[in-house]
Amino acid sequence: MVIMAAAVSFLTAPVTGFAQETEAVEAVAADAAVEGAVVADAAPAFEHYGADMIVGQPVSANEDMLASMTFQPQHTANGDYALWMHDAILMPVITVISLFVLGLLLWVVARYRRSRNPVASKTSHNTLIEIIWTVIPVIILLVIAVPSITLLARQYQSPPEDALTIKANGYQWYWGYEYVDNGGFEVISNMLSDEDALSSGEPHQLAVDNRMVVPVGVPIRIQTFGKDVIHAFGVPSLWFKMDAVPGRINEKMLQIDEPGIYYGQCMELCGARHGYMPIAIEARPVAEYEAWVLSQGGTLPGAVAAVPAEPAAAPAPEAEVAVPAEEIAAADAAQAQS
């Protein structure tokens, strides 16, 4: 009887353990389904900016004559520095040199014309003039070189290690924005038709169906890559331009400190529809950017993935009952007699 009881318990134990394990797996699956439903419900809906949030775009001469004669208003630190260098250093120097040369030409025409000087001067050297027209250009070049080198160093500063990486892929003829640090999803961006752009209040040939959404106040590592031919990712109001070359990844840092919409274009002749692949960047506060990432099915950097609960451990097998040798011998004898 003892042997038969042990055999029955041995045969039923695996079935019971398997049933318990199955129940545990089903429970884990149910928890995961509930958790997935909660995450899906938690992903907030996202609404893009309207035309009232356009910040960086070309300025028409009909709207502002002075603004159309210089660069677009800048919205990055490097852009502000470059605009200051252009307006405060380069333009005054160019203007003064141009007026000075024009004055010299008019003076020479009036003073040394043939009717007034029938016998031309044969002067060939003037030490003072040689020194002046050598030293003054050197000083001018030094004045221009210092801010120029500073600007070059600033705009090619390497992004920090924790910068958000976004890859801009140039196609013939549209852009794809790959969010490397947010799960690797890619947003394809095509130009809107004139009717759709005007109906939404945006400038035609600049508005797109899917903008490149970025966070405000966060260093961004923009990587560019050409999927077919050479393109160029350029946004004038952000003082950003970088070639997208096939077989090579270029990168540069961008940080936008003001929410809004910024327009740019491909700035490298890339084919028949080169003029129809605009760039639209939508800068949002960090919380709104994260909401947009979740609405696209992406992930947030540093987010800890949910770890499923471990299945319940199967119960330990019951300890085997030791059967005395005398009882085993008696059972064998009884079976032999029968």
Side-chain angles (χ1 to χ4, degrees), residues 251-326:
E251 71 175 33
K252 190 176 175 181
M253 187 177 75
L254 173 65
Q255 180 171 330
I256 306 175
D257 296 323
E258 180 182 356
I261 302 172
Y262 304 85
Y263 292 112
Q265 289 176 312
C266 176
M267 296 186 174
E268 186 72 35
L269 186 59
C270 58
R273 294 186 59 81
H274 157 70
Y276 301 97
M277 50 182 302
I279 299 165
I281 297 179
E282 182 173 338
R284 306 291 294 251
V286 175
E288 297 178 6
Y289 167 75
E290 293 178 348
W292 175 82
V293 169
L294 294 177
S295 71
Q296 298 295 313
T299 59
L300 302 179
V304 180
V307 179
E310 296 182 357
E318 297 180 359
E320 295 183 359
V321 180
V323 181
E326 295 81 0

Side-chain angles (χ1 to χ4, degrees), residues 105-127:
L105 287 174
L106 294 176
W107 180 72
V108 168
V109 169
R111 174 69 178 79
Y112 297 100
R113 66 185 186 274
R114 178 178 294 184
S115 61
R116 185 171 181 179
N117 295 276
V119 179
S121 173
K122 297 182 180 180
T123 303
S124 59
H125 291 83
N126 188 305
T127 303

Side-chain angles (χ1 to χ4, degrees), residues 22 56 75 77 107 133 136 173 182 219 224 243 312 336:
T22 302
H75 300 280
W107 180 72
W133 71 31
I136 291 181
W173 289 271
N182 297 113
T224 58
D243 285 346

Side-chain angles (χ1 to χ4, degrees), residues 15-16 48 61 65 73 95 122 135 148 151 177 211 217 219 295:
V15 176
T16 305
H48 286 276
M65 177 63 73
T95 303
K122 297 182 180 180
V135 173
S148 296
L151 178 60
Y177 305 120
R211 300 172 187 149
S295 71

Side-chain angles (χ1 to χ4, degrees), residues 132-258:
I132 290 175
W133 71 31
T134 301
V135 173
I136 291 181
V138 170
I139 296 175
I140 293 174
L141 290 177
L142 288 176
V143 171
I144 296 175
V146 173
S148 296
I149 295 174
T150 302
L151 178 60
L152 285 172
R154 289 179 58 168
Q155 67 185 9
Y156 287 101
Q157 181 181 3
S158 299
E161 294 184 1
D162 59 347
L164 177 67
T165 301
I166 302 177
K167 185 180 176 185
N169 297 313
Y171 300 90
Q172 288 183 314
W173 289 271
Y174 57 93
W175 289 97
Y177 305 120
E178 187 176 348
Y179 289 77
V180 179
D181 292 341
N182 297 113
F185 66 93
E186 185 176 16
V187 175
I188 300 300
S189 178
N190 285 282
M191 186 183 76
L192 288 178
S193 64
D194 291 354
E195 294 78 10
D196 292 339
L198 295 176
S199 64
S200 63
E202 298 183 71
H204 64 93
Q205 295 188 351
L206 287 176
V208 299
D209 53 358
N210 293 308
R211 300 172 187 149
M212 176 183 180
V213 182
V214 301
V216 168
V218 175
I220 306 170
R221 180 186 293 104
I222 301 293
Q223 296 181 338
T224 58
F225 183 77
K227 290 290 187 177
D228 33 51
V229 298
I230 299 177
H231 303 273
F233 186 87
V235 185
S237 61
L238 300 177
W239 199 257
F240 191 96
K241 179 181 180 293
M242 189 164 54
D243 285 346
V245 183
R248 174 179 176 180
I249 294 180
N250 295 326
E251 71 175 33
K252 190 176 175 181
M253 187 177 75
L254 173 65
Q255 180 171 330
I256 306 175
D257 296 323
E258 180 182 356

